[in-house]
Amino acid sequence: MKATGKLLAIALCAPIWIVALAAGHALAMDNWAGPTNGPPRQASKTVTFISQDLRNGGITAAYRGFYTASLELGWSVHLVDGKNDTAAIRAGIVEAIRTHSDAIVLGGFDVQAFADVIGAAQRAKIVLAGWHAAAEPGPTKDLFINIATPSFDVANIAAEYAIGNMSIAKIGVVIFTDDRFAVANAKTRRMKEIIERCDHCQLLSIQNIPIPDANTEIPLAVPRLDQLYGKAWTHSLAINDVYFDAMNLPLLSAKRTDIQNISAGDGSNIALNRIRSGKSQQIATVAEPAGLQGWQLADELNRAFAGQAPSGYTSKPILVTTQLLKRLGNADIDSDIPYKEAYTEIWRGKSSKEKEGSTNR
């Protein structure tokens, strides 16, 4: 598959299907890399989904996917909005233990920050799963499964896309992060490595700004950074789209419309809309296939309820550009991936082996 234009810069580091999506090539419906076998649906389960903050578009999209999947599985789902409040999140976990939930989903907050109540949930034999609740995807010592895309892949794609979108001799990068989260730290380390090994790039600064404070801190940071670095600041990388929600107006006020912004997560609706317009200084986001991940989360919990091991599947990030969004129209960014069909067939007892057997009869 041939990448063109600016995509040549990322073709060597990004998985080929991500390059294909960004270039505007539709995926075949049979291009499903996820599981095709597993237990049938384990019905009549109760799951508590605790969100770190429903203002986070990635968490919300993952929850919507999970809730839709739960309807197919016949589960009851209780949603708790933690509103970025530690006490509220802790209270949600305690309540889920008290009401004997079959499973608790940690949506967007680090499992290690709640070790005491997590231990209580484990002693109560409650299945624990996470969405961005640990640094990397897969099982952990505390979680049956953590759903995420590999931070290494996300950071690679974002940083290499910044390098590939240069129209000047040298680029200067500011990275915005939130060091409270293991996954943010992993992305930041990798982006830093890539920029520092680039001979025509300069890492100017790493700005640690908590995600909930971005709306107030970014308008203060932009003029300060502009004064410090001036025209040397050409690109911004961030571990979350929310930093760019508050950046366009300060950049306009500073007359810095030359700066290009790229996010290494998470594909919020606000970010997608401004990228779709083609008029924003945010030119791309490396998004989670959050709808798919919601269904993936449901499938992994279904395996846990059936006494089986995790599937071993890890979803891949998607480079979202204006070109891709114009091709997709109103469809979701993961709409080319036939995950709903694949998971529904598993849960209805139509595994790949069974389908092969029926074909051979």
Side-chain angles (χ1 to χ4, degrees), residues 322-343:
T322 302
Q323 185 179 12
L324 171 63
L325 291 173
K326 286 184 176 178
R327 178 181 70 79
L328 290 176
N330 293 324
D332 293 333
I333 62 171
D334 53 10
S335 60
D336 283 327
I337 307 171
Y339 62 89
K340 294 179 182 178
E341 297 86 346
Y343 282 127

Side-chain angles (χ1 to χ4, degrees), residues 236-253:
S236 305
L237 292 169
I239 55 92
N240 192 287
D241 291 313
V242 72
Y243 295 101
F244 301 141
D245 292 350
M247 192 173 284
N248 271 14
L249 286 177
L251 288 176
L252 287 172
S253 298

Side-chain angles (χ1 to χ4, degrees), residues 19-46:
V19 177
L21 276 173
H25 299 289
L27 290 174
M29 285 300 290
D30 61 354
N31 194 7
W32 167 241
T36 55
N37 290 289
R41 70 172 188 155
Q42 308 295 300
S44 304
K45 301 296 183 180
T46 299

Side-chain angles (χ1 to χ4, degrees), residues 50-298:
I50 304 175
S51 166
Q52 188 263 344
D53 192 338
L54 285 176
R55 292 171 294 183
N56 183 310
I59 299 172
T60 302
Y63 171 73
R64 284 199 303 267
F66 179 76
Y67 178 75
T68 304
S70 73
L71 296 178
E72 175 69 29
L73 288 161
W75 295 351
S76 174
V77 178
H78 177 55
L79 175 64
V80 176
D81 183 2
K83 299 182 179 178
N84 196 45
D85 182 275
T86 300
I89 293 171
R90 184 179 300 276
I93 298 172
V94 170
E95 180 65 10
I97 296 170
R98 188 191 69 81
T99 55
H100 306 290
S101 282
D102 295 296
I104 300 173
V105 175
L106 283 59
F109 58 91
D110 196 328
V111 63
Q112 295 297 320
F114 299 88
D116 55 342
V117 286
I118 291 300
Q122 291 171 327
R123 290 189 293 274
K125 307 299 183 184
I126 295 173
V127 179
L128 297 171
W131 183 88
H132 285 219
E136 298 299 338
T140 77
K141 68 180 182 63
D142 296 310
L143 301 171
F144 178 77
I145 195 73
N146 180 54
I147 302 295
T149 54
S151 62
F152 186 92
D153 291 352
V154 174
N156 268 359
I157 296 166
E160 294 287 353
Y161 194 68
I163 294 170
N165 272 272
M166 61 175 293
S167 57
I168 51 180
K170 189 170 186 176
I171 70 170
V173 178
V174 175
I175 298 176
F176 294 88
T177 190
D178 184 341
D179 68 5
R180 299 176 302 158
F181 302 107
V183 65
N185 293 329
K187 289 179 186 178
T188 301
R189 283 193 300 270
R190 184 56 183 164
M191 290 190 289
K192 177 177 181 288
E193 289 172 1
I194 292 173
I195 297 302
E196 288 183 336
R197 79 183 185 196
C198 167
D199 58 8
H200 54 269
C201 305
Q202 181 182 9
L203 178 63
L204 301 175
S205 176
I206 296 176
Q207 297 290 306
N208 181 40
I209 298 175
I211 288 174
D213 299 337
N215 284 337
T216 56
E217 293 297 322
I218 289 295
L220 301 175
V222 168
R224 172 172 53 81
L225 292 167
D226 185 43
Q227 185 175 14
L228 279 172
Y229 303 115
K231 292 297 183 179
W233 180 19
T234 66
H235 288 71
S236 305
L237 292 169
I239 55 92
N240 192 287
D241 291 313
V242 72
Y243 295 101
F244 301 141
D245 292 350
M247 192 173 284
N248 271 14
L249 286 177
L251 288 176
L252 287 172
S253 298
K255 298 181 180 179
R256 294 304 313 274
T257 55
D258 56 311
I259 293 174
Q260 294 185 326
N261 299 325
I262 299 164
S263 174
D266 59 85
S268 70
N269 286 333
I270 295 173
L272 296 182
N273 286 335
R274 63 174 167 257
I275 294 169
R276 182 180 285 109
S277 74
K279 300 176 182 178
S280 171
Q281 289 181 239
Q282 184 177 357
I283 60 172
T285 184
V286 184
E288 303 278 346
L292 182 160
Q293 289 177 336
W295 282 65
Q296 180 188 357
L297 178 60

